[in-house]
Amino acid sequence: MRSEIRHDPSQKIVMYLGLFASSSCCILGYPCSNEASVILAFRATCVGYFICNLAGLLLQKCELSRRILRIGLVINSLSSWLVSGHWCLGFGEWCIFMLCEHAFMMFGGMVLVENLVHLHLLFTLTGSFVCYLLRRESSVLGVEADRVWDAAAVTVVMVLVGGILYSGQRSISFLRQKLDLISSIVTMSEQELPNSVSFTRTPSGSKFVSSWSSPNGGSGALPELSDCIGRGSFGQVFSANYKNQKAAVKIMTWEGEQLKRVDPLKEAKLCMSMVHPNLVQAFDFFMRDCESELPGKSPWKEIWIVQEWCDRGTLNSYCDVPRTSGLGLKQAKTILCDISTGCEYLHSKDIIHGDLTSNNVLLKSRDSTGPLELDFVCKVCDFGLARVLEEGVSTLLTSQLGTVSHMPPELIRLDNKRLTKKADIYAVGILLYQVLLGRLPFAKKSAPQVVIFVASGKRLQLDETAPEDVRQIFMDCTALEPRERPTAEELVQYFSRDDPQSG
Protein backbone atom coordinates (compact mmCIF):
# COMPACT_ATOMS: atom_id res chain seq x y z
CA MET A 1 0.00 0.00 0.00
CA ARG A 2 1.39 3.37 -1.01
CA SER A 3 1.95 5.69 1.96
CA GLU A 4 0.87 9.29 1.84
CA ILE A 5 3.48 12.02 1.54
CA ARG A 6 2.67 14.63 4.12
CA HIS A 7 3.41 18.32 3.95
CA ASP A 8 6.40 19.59 5.85
CA PRO A 9 5.50 21.19 9.20
CA SER A 10 6.69 24.51 7.79
CA GLN A 11 4.32 24.21 4.82
CA LYS A 12 1.42 23.44 7.14
CA ILE A 13 2.26 26.53 9.19
CA VAL A 14 2.17 28.70 6.07
CA MET A 15 -1.16 27.24 4.97
CA TYR A 16 -2.70 27.75 8.42
CA LEU A 17 -1.45 31.34 8.31
CA GLY A 18 -3.03 31.64 4.86
CA LEU A 19 -6.36 30.56 6.31
CA PHE A 20 -6.03 33.17 9.04
CA ALA A 21 -5.00 35.95 6.62
CA SER A 22 -7.77 35.26 4.09
CA SER A 23 -10.41 35.10 6.85
CA SER A 24 -9.18 38.36 8.38
CA CYS A 25 -9.17 40.20 5.05
CA CYS A 26 -12.63 38.86 4.21
CA ILE A 27 -13.93 40.24 7.51
CA LEU A 28 -12.14 43.58 7.05
CA GLY A 29 -13.54 44.01 3.55
CA TYR A 30 -12.32 46.81 1.31
CA PRO A 31 -13.36 50.37 2.26
CA CYS A 32 -12.03 52.19 -0.80
CA SER A 33 -15.11 51.39 -2.86
CA ASN A 34 -18.84 51.33 -2.17
CA GLU A 35 -19.61 49.39 -5.34
CA ALA A 36 -21.14 46.04 -4.48
CA SER A 37 -19.31 44.35 -7.34
CA VAL A 38 -15.89 45.51 -6.10
CA ILE A 39 -16.56 44.48 -2.49
CA LEU A 40 -17.94 41.14 -3.67
CA ALA A 41 -14.90 40.57 -5.92
CA PHE A 42 -12.51 41.37 -3.06
CA ARG A 43 -14.23 38.97 -0.68
CA ALA A 44 -14.38 36.36 -3.46
CA THR A 45 -10.57 36.45 -3.79
CA CYS A 46 -10.28 36.06 -0.02
CA VAL A 47 -12.61 33.05 -0.08
CA GLY A 48 -10.76 31.62 -3.09
CA TYR A 49 -7.41 31.87 -1.31
CA PHE A 50 -8.97 30.31 1.81
CA ILE A 51 -10.30 27.36 -0.21
CA CYS A 52 -6.95 26.78 -1.94
CA ASN A 53 -5.10 26.64 1.39
CA LEU A 54 -7.73 24.37 2.90
CA ALA A 55 -7.61 22.04 -0.11
CA GLY A 56 -3.81 21.95 0.09
CA LEU A 57 -4.04 20.82 3.71
CA LEU A 58 -6.65 18.15 3.02
CA LEU A 59 -5.00 16.69 -0.09
CA GLN A 60 -1.61 16.17 1.56
CA LYS A 61 1.53 16.65 -0.54
CA CYS A 62 1.03 15.83 -4.21
CA GLU A 63 1.15 17.46 -7.61
CA LEU A 64 -2.55 18.35 -7.43
CA SER A 65 -2.15 20.16 -4.11
CA ARG A 66 0.87 22.02 -5.49
CA ARG A 67 -1.19 23.22 -8.46
CA ILE A 68 -4.06 24.27 -6.20
CA LEU A 69 -1.65 26.24 -3.98
CA ARG A 70 -0.21 27.90 -7.09
CA ILE A 71 -3.74 28.88 -8.11
CA GLY A 72 -4.09 30.35 -4.62
CA LEU A 73 -1.06 32.56 -5.24
CA VAL A 74 -2.57 33.70 -8.56
CA ILE A 75 -5.83 34.55 -6.79
CA ASN A 76 -3.85 36.53 -4.26
CA SER A 77 -2.22 38.41 -7.15
CA LEU A 78 -5.64 39.25 -8.58
CA SER A 79 -6.66 40.56 -5.16
CA SER A 80 -3.60 42.81 -5.22
CA TRP A 81 -4.65 44.08 -8.66
CA LEU A 82 -8.16 44.82 -7.37
CA VAL A 83 -6.89 46.70 -4.34
CA SER A 84 -4.46 48.76 -6.48
CA GLY A 85 -7.17 49.60 -9.02
CA HIS A 86 -9.40 51.18 -6.35
CA TRP A 87 -6.74 52.55 -3.99
CA CYS A 88 -7.94 55.62 -2.10
CA LEU A 89 -4.90 56.50 0.01
CA GLY A 90 -1.55 58.03 -0.92
CA PHE A 91 1.28 56.60 -2.98
CA GLY A 92 3.42 56.02 0.11
CA GLU A 93 0.78 53.85 1.79
CA TRP A 94 0.34 51.90 -1.44
CA CYS A 95 4.11 51.26 -1.65
CA ILE A 96 4.17 49.95 1.92
CA PHE A 97 1.23 47.66 1.24
CA MET A 98 2.80 46.38 -2.00
CA LEU A 99 6.15 45.79 -0.28
CA CYS A 100 4.45 43.59 2.33
CA GLU A 101 2.35 41.86 -0.32
CA HIS A 102 5.35 40.99 -2.50
CA ALA A 103 7.36 39.82 0.51
CA PHE A 104 4.53 37.38 1.20
CA MET A 105 4.41 36.31 -2.47
CA MET A 106 8.15 35.62 -2.52
CA PHE A 107 8.49 33.75 0.78
CA GLY A 108 5.11 32.01 0.49
CA GLY A 109 5.96 30.86 -3.02
CA MET A 110 9.36 29.54 -1.89
CA VAL A 111 7.69 27.41 0.79
CA LEU A 112 4.52 26.23 -0.95
CA VAL A 113 5.32 25.87 -4.67
CA GLU A 114 9.15 26.16 -4.57
CA ASN A 115 9.62 27.14 -8.23
CA LEU A 116 8.65 29.87 -10.72
CA VAL A 117 8.46 32.27 -7.78
CA HIS A 118 9.97 35.08 -9.85
CA LEU A 119 7.13 34.76 -12.38
CA HIS A 120 4.55 35.10 -9.62
CA LEU A 121 6.31 38.24 -8.39
CA LEU A 122 6.49 39.73 -11.88
CA PHE A 123 2.82 38.88 -12.50
CA THR A 124 1.73 40.56 -9.25
CA LEU A 125 3.98 43.60 -9.57
CA THR A 126 3.15 44.37 -13.21
CA GLY A 127 -0.59 44.01 -12.76
CA SER A 128 -0.67 45.97 -9.51
CA PHE A 129 1.32 48.85 -10.95
CA VAL A 130 -0.82 49.09 -14.09
CA CYS A 131 -4.03 48.94 -12.04
CA TYR A 132 -2.72 51.64 -9.72
CA LEU A 133 -1.96 53.94 -12.67
CA LEU A 134 -5.47 53.35 -14.09
CA ARG A 135 -7.27 53.54 -10.74
CA ARG A 136 -10.43 55.54 -10.21
CA GLU A 137 -10.44 58.19 -7.52
CA SER A 138 -12.57 57.18 -4.58
CA SER A 139 -13.12 58.50 -1.08
CA VAL A 140 -16.12 56.65 0.26
CA LEU A 141 -14.70 56.73 3.81
CA GLY A 142 -12.70 59.27 5.73
CA VAL A 143 -8.95 59.25 5.40
CA GLU A 144 -8.51 58.09 8.99
CA ALA A 145 -10.83 55.12 8.47
CA ASP A 146 -9.01 54.18 5.27
CA ARG A 147 -5.67 54.30 7.07
CA VAL A 148 -7.00 52.11 9.87
CA TRP A 149 -7.95 49.52 7.26
CA ASP A 150 -4.54 49.84 5.59
CA ALA A 151 -2.76 49.41 8.94
CA ALA A 152 -4.87 46.37 9.78
CA ALA A 153 -4.26 44.78 6.36
CA VAL A 154 -0.52 45.44 6.56
CA THR A 155 -0.47 43.93 10.06
CA VAL A 156 -2.17 40.78 8.82
CA VAL A 157 0.32 40.43 5.95
CA MET A 158 3.27 41.11 8.27
CA VAL A 159 2.07 38.36 10.63
CA LEU A 160 1.89 36.08 7.60
CA VAL A 161 5.40 37.01 6.41
CA GLY A 162 6.83 36.71 9.92
CA GLY A 163 5.34 33.26 10.32
CA ILE A 164 6.81 32.16 7.01
CA LEU A 165 10.27 33.45 7.89
CA TYR A 166 10.30 31.52 11.15
CA SER A 167 8.64 28.40 9.76
CA GLY A 168 11.97 26.58 9.46
CA GLN A 169 11.38 25.57 5.84
CA ARG A 170 14.62 24.55 4.11
CA SER A 171 14.54 27.23 1.39
CA ILE A 172 13.93 30.01 3.91
CA SER A 173 16.58 28.63 6.28
CA PHE A 174 19.06 28.36 3.42
CA LEU A 175 18.36 31.95 2.35
CA ARG A 176 18.82 33.18 5.91
CA GLN A 177 22.09 31.24 6.24
CA LYS A 178 23.46 32.79 3.05
CA LEU A 179 22.46 36.29 4.16
CA ASP A 180 24.03 35.70 7.58
CA LEU A 181 27.14 34.37 5.87
CA ILE A 182 27.49 37.37 3.59
CA SER A 183 27.01 39.65 6.60
CA SER A 184 29.68 37.77 8.55
CA ILE A 185 32.11 38.00 5.65
CA VAL A 186 31.64 41.77 5.45
CA THR A 187 32.02 42.09 9.22
CA MET A 188 35.10 39.90 9.18
CA SER A 189 36.77 42.08 6.59
CA GLU A 190 36.14 45.16 8.69
CA GLN A 191 37.57 43.46 11.77
CA GLU A 192 40.68 42.26 10.02
CA LEU A 193 41.50 45.64 8.52
CA PRO A 194 42.67 47.39 11.74
CA ASN A 195 44.94 44.45 12.58
CA SER A 196 46.64 44.12 9.20
CA VAL A 197 49.64 46.22 10.23
CA SER A 198 50.22 44.15 13.36
CA PHE A 199 51.77 41.40 11.27
CA THR A 200 55.02 43.31 10.92
CA ARG A 201 54.94 45.87 13.70
CA THR A 202 52.96 46.98 16.69
CA PRO A 203 50.26 49.48 15.67
CA SER A 204 51.01 52.99 16.81
CA GLY A 205 49.07 54.09 19.85
CA SER A 206 48.17 50.53 20.89
CA LYS A 207 49.65 47.90 23.14
CA PHE A 208 49.25 44.17 23.08
CA VAL A 209 50.90 41.18 24.68
CA SER A 210 51.45 37.89 22.90
CA SER A 211 52.91 34.45 23.44
CA TRP A 212 54.47 32.41 20.64
CA SER A 213 54.32 28.66 20.26
CA SER A 214 55.36 26.14 17.62
CA PRO A 215 52.79 23.32 17.79
CA ASN A 216 54.67 21.57 15.00
CA GLY A 217 57.80 21.27 17.13
CA GLY A 218 59.78 23.59 14.87
CA SER A 219 63.03 25.33 15.64
CA GLY A 220 61.31 28.42 17.00
CA ALA A 221 63.23 30.73 14.64
CA LEU A 222 60.63 33.10 13.25
CA PRO A 223 60.83 34.04 9.57
CA GLU A 224 61.91 37.58 8.70
CA LEU A 225 59.02 39.23 6.88
CA SER A 226 59.46 41.49 3.88
CA ASP A 227 56.78 42.72 1.44
CA CYS A 228 53.09 41.91 1.50
CA ILE A 229 52.42 40.07 -1.76
CA GLY A 230 48.79 39.10 -1.37
CA ARG A 231 45.62 39.28 0.70
CA GLY A 232 43.01 36.59 1.23
CA SER A 233 39.75 36.12 3.11
CA PHE A 234 41.54 35.13 6.31
CA GLY A 235 44.80 37.09 6.19
CA GLN A 236 47.83 38.16 4.20
CA VAL A 237 50.83 36.59 2.49
CA PHE A 238 54.35 38.02 2.86
CA SER A 239 57.64 37.27 1.18
CA ALA A 240 60.14 36.28 3.86
CA ASN A 241 63.52 34.84 4.70
CA TYR A 242 63.36 31.52 6.52
CA LYS A 243 66.50 29.57 7.38
CA ASN A 244 68.43 31.53 4.76
CA GLN A 245 65.94 30.70 2.01
CA LYS A 246 63.22 32.75 0.38
CA ALA A 247 59.78 31.65 1.47
CA ALA A 248 56.18 32.79 1.61
CA VAL A 249 54.53 33.31 4.98
CA LYS A 250 50.76 33.17 5.19
CA ILE A 251 49.57 35.04 8.28
CA MET A 252 46.00 34.56 9.39
CA THR A 253 44.13 36.31 12.16
CA TRP A 254 41.02 35.13 14.00
CA GLU A 255 39.03 36.84 16.70
CA GLY A 256 35.61 36.70 18.29
CA GLU A 257 33.02 34.75 16.30
CA GLN A 258 35.60 33.83 13.66
CA LEU A 259 37.25 31.44 16.13
CA LYS A 260 34.01 29.47 16.26
CA ARG A 261 33.82 29.09 12.48
CA VAL A 262 37.44 28.28 11.60
CA ASP A 263 40.16 26.36 13.43
CA PRO A 264 43.52 27.98 12.59
CA LEU A 265 45.50 25.06 14.00
CA LYS A 266 43.57 22.64 11.80
CA GLU A 267 44.32 24.87 8.81
CA ALA A 268 48.04 24.76 9.52
CA LYS A 269 48.18 21.01 10.17
CA LEU A 270 46.26 20.38 6.95
CA CYS A 271 48.80 22.39 4.96
CA MET A 272 51.68 20.51 6.59
CA SER A 273 50.20 17.10 5.87
CA MET A 274 49.70 17.69 2.14
CA VAL A 275 52.87 16.73 0.24
CA HIS A 276 52.60 16.65 -3.56
CA PRO A 277 54.46 18.26 -6.50
CA ASN A 278 51.28 20.11 -7.55
CA LEU A 279 50.46 21.51 -4.10
CA VAL A 280 52.22 24.39 -2.38
CA GLN A 281 54.33 22.79 0.34
CA ALA A 282 54.21 24.07 3.93
CA PHE A 283 57.45 23.79 5.94
CA ASP A 284 56.54 25.01 9.40
CA PHE A 285 54.00 27.06 11.33
CA PHE A 286 53.85 29.20 14.45
CA MET A 287 50.93 30.41 16.53
CA ARG A 288 50.49 33.19 19.02
CA ASP A 289 47.70 34.34 21.28
CA CYS A 290 47.38 38.12 21.26
CA GLU A 291 45.64 40.19 23.87
CA SER A 292 45.27 43.95 23.73
CA GLU A 293 45.83 46.09 26.80
CA LEU A 294 43.27 48.55 25.50
CA PRO A 295 39.80 48.22 27.12
CA GLY A 296 37.09 46.65 24.98
CA LYS A 297 39.49 44.92 22.57
CA SER A 298 38.83 41.17 22.41
CA PRO A 299 41.78 38.74 22.20
CA TRP A 300 42.74 37.23 18.87
CA LYS A 301 44.94 34.51 17.42
CA GLU A 302 47.61 34.71 14.75
CA ILE A 303 49.12 31.79 12.92
CA TRP A 304 52.10 32.00 10.56
CA ILE A 305 52.41 29.23 7.96
CA VAL A 306 55.79 29.08 6.21
CA GLN A 307 55.39 27.85 2.63
CA GLU A 308 57.58 27.30 -0.39
CA TRP A 309 58.24 30.34 -2.57
CA CYS A 310 56.55 30.31 -5.99
CA ASP A 311 58.42 32.92 -7.99
CA ARG A 312 56.10 33.21 -11.02
CA GLY A 313 53.04 34.55 -9.26
CA THR A 314 49.47 33.33 -9.79
CA LEU A 315 47.87 31.59 -12.74
CA ASN A 316 45.61 34.62 -13.13
CA SER A 317 48.55 36.73 -14.33
CA TYR A 318 49.38 34.11 -16.97
CA CYS A 319 45.89 34.03 -18.50
CA ASP A 320 46.28 37.07 -20.71
CA VAL A 321 46.06 35.68 -24.28
CA PRO A 322 43.94 32.96 -25.95
CA ARG A 323 45.48 29.48 -26.15
CA THR A 324 43.03 27.46 -28.23
CA SER A 325 45.35 25.90 -30.79
CA GLY A 326 48.89 24.78 -31.50
CA LEU A 327 51.55 25.32 -28.85
CA GLY A 328 49.23 27.44 -26.74
CA LEU A 329 46.67 24.63 -26.53
CA LYS A 330 49.36 22.15 -25.53
CA GLN A 331 50.56 24.48 -22.76
CA ALA A 332 46.98 25.02 -21.60
CA LYS A 333 46.49 21.26 -21.29
CA THR A 334 49.73 20.97 -19.32
CA ILE A 335 48.48 23.62 -16.91
CA LEU A 336 45.14 21.89 -16.47
CA CYS A 337 46.90 18.54 -16.03
CA ASP A 338 48.94 20.00 -13.15
CA ILE A 339 45.81 21.41 -11.51
CA SER A 340 43.83 18.19 -12.01
CA THR A 341 46.70 16.14 -10.58
CA GLY A 342 46.78 18.28 -7.46
CA CYS A 343 43.02 18.03 -7.23
CA GLU A 344 43.18 14.24 -7.65
CA TYR A 345 45.61 14.04 -4.72
CA LEU A 346 43.34 16.14 -2.50
CA HIS A 347 40.31 14.02 -3.38
CA SER A 348 42.27 10.83 -2.65
CA LYS A 349 42.72 12.23 0.87
CA ASP A 350 38.97 12.99 1.03
CA ILE A 351 39.64 16.74 0.91
CA ILE A 352 37.51 19.19 -1.05
CA HIS A 353 39.31 22.43 -1.85
CA GLY A 354 36.11 24.46 -2.21
CA ASP A 355 37.67 27.63 -3.69
CA LEU A 356 39.74 26.56 -6.68
CA THR A 357 40.42 29.74 -8.68
CA SER A 358 43.28 31.14 -10.75
CA ASN A 359 44.40 33.17 -7.73
CA ASN A 360 44.73 29.94 -5.75
CA VAL A 361 47.04 28.34 -8.31
CA LEU A 362 50.67 29.47 -8.03
CA LEU A 363 53.43 29.08 -10.62
CA LYS A 364 56.97 27.97 -9.75
CA SER A 365 59.88 27.96 -12.18
CA ARG A 366 61.36 24.66 -13.30
CA ASP A 367 63.89 23.55 -15.89
CA SER A 368 61.99 22.84 -19.11
CA THR A 369 62.82 19.67 -21.04
CA GLY A 370 62.52 21.42 -24.40
CA PRO A 371 61.61 24.67 -26.16
CA LEU A 372 57.95 23.64 -26.41
CA GLU A 373 57.56 22.77 -22.74
CA LEU A 374 56.39 25.10 -20.00
CA ASP A 375 59.15 26.40 -17.76
CA PHE A 376 56.96 26.39 -14.66
CA VAL A 377 54.81 24.00 -12.68
CA CYS A 378 51.35 24.81 -11.31
CA LYS A 379 50.73 24.35 -7.59
CA VAL A 380 47.34 24.53 -5.89
CA CYS A 381 47.36 26.62 -2.71
CA ASP A 382 45.13 28.20 -0.07
CA PHE A 383 43.21 25.66 1.94
CA GLY A 384 41.32 28.38 3.79
CA LEU A 385 38.04 26.88 2.59
CA ALA A 386 39.16 23.26 2.32
CA ARG A 387 36.84 20.66 3.83
CA VAL A 388 37.94 17.28 5.12
CA LEU A 389 35.40 14.50 4.61
CA GLU A 390 35.08 12.07 7.47
CA GLU A 391 35.11 8.33 6.81
CA GLY A 392 31.94 7.18 5.05
CA VAL A 393 30.80 10.74 4.26
CA SER A 394 30.61 11.92 0.65
CA THR A 395 28.97 15.34 1.07
CA LEU A 396 29.24 18.26 3.45
CA LEU A 397 26.73 20.96 4.37
CA THR A 398 28.29 24.21 3.23
CA SER A 399 28.98 26.84 5.88
CA GLN A 400 31.27 29.12 3.86
CA LEU A 401 31.16 30.50 0.36
CA GLY A 402 33.89 30.15 -2.23
CA THR A 403 34.38 32.53 -5.15
CA VAL A 404 30.97 33.04 -6.77
CA SER A 405 32.26 32.84 -10.36
CA HIS A 406 33.59 29.32 -9.65
CA MET A 407 30.66 28.16 -7.53
CA PRO A 408 28.73 25.24 -9.04
CA PRO A 409 24.99 25.45 -9.70
CA GLU A 410 24.10 23.04 -6.89
CA LEU A 411 25.47 25.50 -4.31
CA ILE A 412 23.63 28.45 -5.83
CA ARG A 413 20.25 26.79 -6.30
CA LEU A 414 18.05 26.58 -3.23
CA ASP A 415 17.26 22.90 -3.79
CA ASN A 416 20.76 21.65 -2.97
CA LYS A 417 23.34 23.11 -0.66
CA ARG A 418 25.72 20.18 -0.18
CA LEU A 419 29.34 20.29 -1.22
CA THR A 420 30.93 17.31 -2.97
CA LYS A 421 34.19 16.68 -4.78
CA LYS A 422 32.37 17.49 -8.02
CA ALA A 423 32.34 21.16 -6.94
CA ASP A 424 36.12 21.21 -7.52
CA ILE A 425 35.59 19.63 -10.96
CA TYR A 426 33.23 22.46 -11.89
CA ALA A 427 35.92 24.94 -10.79
CA VAL A 428 38.50 23.15 -12.96
CA GLY A 429 36.15 23.66 -15.89
CA ILE A 430 35.99 27.39 -15.18
CA LEU A 431 39.80 27.46 -14.99
CA LEU A 432 39.94 25.71 -18.37
CA TYR A 433 37.74 28.50 -19.76
CA GLN A 434 40.08 31.19 -18.39
CA VAL A 435 43.31 29.51 -19.52
CA LEU A 436 42.04 28.80 -23.05
CA LEU A 437 40.38 32.14 -23.75
CA GLY A 438 42.75 34.37 -21.79
CA ARG A 439 39.97 36.23 -20.01
CA LEU A 440 38.14 36.06 -16.72
CA PRO A 441 34.86 34.13 -16.59
CA PHE A 442 31.82 36.38 -16.20
CA ALA A 443 34.13 39.38 -16.68
CA LYS A 444 31.29 41.84 -17.39
CA LYS A 445 28.89 40.54 -14.73
CA SER A 446 28.52 41.51 -11.09
CA ALA A 447 28.29 38.83 -8.39
CA PRO A 448 24.45 38.98 -8.24
CA GLN A 449 24.29 38.72 -12.05
CA VAL A 450 26.53 35.64 -11.94
CA VAL A 451 24.26 34.04 -9.35
CA ILE A 452 21.16 34.72 -11.47
CA PHE A 453 22.93 33.50 -14.64
CA VAL A 454 23.97 30.18 -13.10
CA ALA A 455 20.79 29.63 -11.07
CA SER A 456 18.69 30.00 -14.23
CA GLY A 457 20.50 27.07 -15.82
CA LYS A 458 22.66 29.08 -18.23
CA ARG A 459 26.29 28.11 -18.89
CA LEU A 460 29.48 29.64 -20.21
CA GLN A 461 30.47 28.60 -23.73
CA LEU A 462 33.93 28.15 -25.23
CA ASP A 463 34.72 29.82 -28.55
CA GLU A 464 34.43 27.78 -31.72
CA THR A 465 38.21 28.19 -32.13
CA ALA A 466 38.73 25.56 -29.42
CA PRO A 467 38.84 21.92 -30.61
CA GLU A 468 35.63 19.93 -30.28
CA ASP A 469 37.04 17.49 -27.69
CA VAL A 470 38.18 20.42 -25.51
CA ARG A 471 34.75 22.02 -25.73
CA GLN A 472 33.22 18.68 -24.76
CA ILE A 473 35.43 18.23 -21.67
CA PHE A 474 34.56 21.79 -20.67
CA MET A 475 30.85 21.04 -20.98
CA ASP A 476 31.33 17.84 -18.98
CA CYS A 477 33.16 19.67 -16.18
CA THR A 478 30.52 22.40 -15.96
CA ALA A 479 27.51 20.06 -16.24
CA LEU A 480 24.54 21.27 -14.21
CA GLU A 481 24.21 17.92 -12.44
CA PRO A 482 27.26 16.95 -10.31
CA ARG A 483 26.94 13.24 -11.16
CA GLU A 484 27.47 14.04 -14.85
CA ARG A 485 30.91 15.59 -14.25
CA PRO A 486 34.09 13.52 -14.59
CA THR A 487 36.40 12.67 -11.70
CA ALA A 488 39.75 14.35 -11.15
CA GLU A 489 41.45 11.11 -12.20
CA GLU A 490 39.59 11.13 -15.52
CA LEU A 491 40.65 14.75 -16.09
CA VAL A 492 44.30 13.83 -15.49
CA GLN A 493 44.02 11.06 -18.06
CA TYR A 494 42.48 13.42 -20.62
CA PHE A 495 44.87 16.36 -20.18
CA SER A 496 48.00 14.16 -20.05
CA ARG A 497 47.43 12.26 -23.29
CA ASP A 498 49.17 13.30 -26.50
CA ASP A 499 46.97 15.14 -28.99
CA PRO A 500 48.04 15.84 -32.59
CA GLN A 501 45.89 19.00 -32.65
CA SER A 502 48.02 20.62 -29.95
CA GLY A 503 51.36 19.39 -31.17
Side-chain angles (χ1 to χ4, degrees):
M1 182 175 178
R2 184 179 178 181
S3 60
E4 289 184 337
I5 303 176
R6 299 182 179 274
H7 289 292
D8 298 335
S10 56
Q11 292 176 318
K12 289 184 178 180
I13 291 175
V14 173
M15 284 185 276
Y16 282 127
L17 287 171
L19 295 177
F20 161 75
S22 56
S23 302
S24 301
C25 290
C26 189
I27 294 172
L28 286 173
Y30 187 52
C32 283
S33 176
N34 56 5
E35 296 180 23
S37 59
V38 174
I39 298 174
L40 180 62
F42 177 78
R43 287 201 163 102
T45 58
C46 296
V47 172
Y49 188 66
F50 182 93
I51 292 174
C52 288
N53 279 274
L54 183 61
L57 284 168
L58 296 176
L59 287 173
Q60 299 302 332
K61 193 171 185 178
C62 61
E63 184 60 30
L64 177 59
S65 66
R66 184 192 292 262
R67 291 180 180 178
I68 291 175
L69 291 171
R70 192 181 298 280
I71 292 173
L73 291 178
V74 174
I75 292 175
N76 191 72
S77 299
L78 297 177
S79 178
S80 178
W81 290 13
L82 180 66
V83 169
S84 299
H86 295 82
W87 191 258
C88 56
L89 292 174
F91 179 71
E93 289 89 344
W94 179 78
C95 288
I96 294 173
F97 183 82
M98 285 296 106
L99 181 63
C100 297
E101 171 71 8
H102 284 77
F104 158 68
M105 289 292 294
M106 179 175 69
F107 296 127
M110 289 171 63
V111 174
L112 296 179
V113 299
E114 299 181 345
N115 57 15
L116 302 180
V117 178
H118 61 292
L119 295 181
H120 280 291
L121 288 174
L122 183 62
F123 180 73
T124 308
L125 177 61
T126 304
S128 299
F129 185 69
V130 171
C131 289
Y132 179 79
L133 293 178
L134 301 176
R135 72 191 185 285
R136 291 183 294 174
E137 296 295 335
S138 176
S139 57
V140 297
L141 290 180
V143 173
E144 291 302 322
D146 293 343
R147 285 179 176 168
V148 169
W149 175 89
D150 184 43
V154 168
T155 301
V156 170
V157 177
M158 289 298 292
V159 170
L160 189 60
V161 172
I164 294 173
L165 288 176
Y166 287 93
S167 65
Q169 204 269 347
R170 65 181 188 275
S171 296
I172 301 297
S173 299
F174 180 62
L175 180 61
R176 291 176 63 187
Q177 288 174 5
K178 292 304 180 186
L179 293 176
D180 290 343
L181 179 58
I182 293 172
S183 176
S184 68
I185 291 174
V186 173
T187 304
M188 176 179 60
S189 300
E190 293 172 351
Q191 291 172 340
E192 288 179 349
L193 185 58
N195 297 324
S196 61
V197 294
S198 66
F199 295 140
T200 54
R201 65 179 186 276
T202 303
S204 58
S206 66
K207 298 180 179 180
F208 69 89
V209 294
S210 62
S211 58
W212 284 97
S213 62
S214 180
N216 189 45
S219 63
L222 294 176
E224 300 175 6
L225 301 185
S226 182
D227 299 325
C228 176
I229 58 176
R231 299 176 185 269
S233 57
F234 286 101
Q236 297 172 293
V237 180
F238 289 82
S239 60
N241 184 286
Y242 180 67
K243 295 183 178 180
N244 298 321
Q245 291 185 357
K246 193 166 187 179
V249 177
K250 181 179 180 181
I251 304 181
M252 296 173 288
T253 302
W254 285 270
E255 62 179 313
E257 291 296 320
Q258 298 168 11
L259 290 170
K260 299 179 182 179
R261 298 196 303 269
V262 181
D263 183 357
L265 188 58
K266 181 179 178 181
E267 158 91 9
K269 289 182 177 180
L270 180 63
C271 290
M272 292 288 295
S273 65
M274 298 295 103
V275 181
H276 189 272
N278 295 115
L279 299 182
V280 174
Q281 180 63 46
F283 301 132
D284 204 347
F285 66 92
F286 305 87
M287 181 182 292
R288 69 170 173 176
D289 296 315
C290 304
E291 185 175 347
S292 176
E293 294 182 351
L294 296 176
K297 177 65 176 177
S298 60
W300 69 94
K301 290 181 180 290
E302 280 185 5
I303 190 165
W304 295 24
I305 303 178
V306 184
Q307 299 176 328
E308 67 176 309
W309 177 253
C310 296
D311 59 321
R312 300 290 289 271
T314 67
L315 178 61
N316 185 56
S317 61
Y318 181 80
C319 301
D320 53 355
V321 295
R323 294 177 172 85
T324 57
S325 62
L327 177 60
L329 178 60
K330 183 175 182 179
Q331 293 176 341
K333 287 187 174 182
T334 301
I335 291 172
L336 269 298
C337 185
D338 283 351
I339 298 172
S340 300
T341 304
C343 192
E344 179 189 16
Y345 175 81
L346 291 177
H347 290 182
S348 71
K349 301 294 184 181
D350 285 332
I351 294 175
I352 304 172
H353 189 284
D355 194 23
L356 200 56
T357 70
S358 58
N359 285 324
N360 286 335
V361 177
L362 300 184
L363 312 181
K364 185 174 182 178
S365 295
R366 68 175 174 186
D367 294 332
S368 60
T369 58
L372 302 182
E373 298 291 334
L374 287 175
D375 59 351
F376 61 81
V377 61
C378 296
K379 292 176 174 281
V380 176
C381 72
D382 196 349
F383 298 97
L385 289 176
R387 281 83 161 184
V388 181
L389 294 171
E390 297 178 358
E391 185 176 357
V393 177
S394 60
T395 65
L396 285 176
L397 188 65
T398 58
S399 59
Q400 295 169 324
L401 284 171
T403 305
V404 67
S405 59
H406 294 63
M407 192 182 300
E410 62 268 20
L411 295 188
I412 291 179
R413 295 195 302 256
L414 293 177
D415 58 347
N416 192 328
K417 51 185 179 291
R418 290 195 171 271
L419 181 69
T420 69
K421 295 175 182 178
K422 294 302 181 73
D424 286 342
I425 303 302
Y426 181 90
V428 171
I430 301 300
L431 286 175
L432 174 61
Y433 176 96
Q434 185 176 354
V435 173
L436 284 176
L437 302 186
R439 61 175 182 262
L440 290 171
F442 307 107
K444 297 182 180 180
K445 287 182 170 61
S446 63
Q449 289 175 324
V450 173
V451 170
I452 294 173
F453 182 90
V454 177
S456 62
K458 297 179 181 178
R459 303 168 65 179
L460 291 172
Q461 299 290 333
L462 285 180
D463 295 349
E464 293 294 330
T465 54
E468 183 178 351
D469 66 308
V470 177
R471 296 201 304 271
Q472 184 59 52
I473 198 68
F474 169 75
M475 296 301 290
D476 293 343
C477 288
T478 57
L480 298 180
E481 294 298 329
R483 65 178 179 272
E484 297 177 1
R485 299 171 200 153
T487 64
E489 181 181 3
E490 290 171 337
L491 289 181
V492 172
Q493 293 175 357
Y494 170 78
F495 288 120
S496 60
R497 73 188 185 196
D498 292 330
D499 188 349
Q501 296 183 66
S502 58

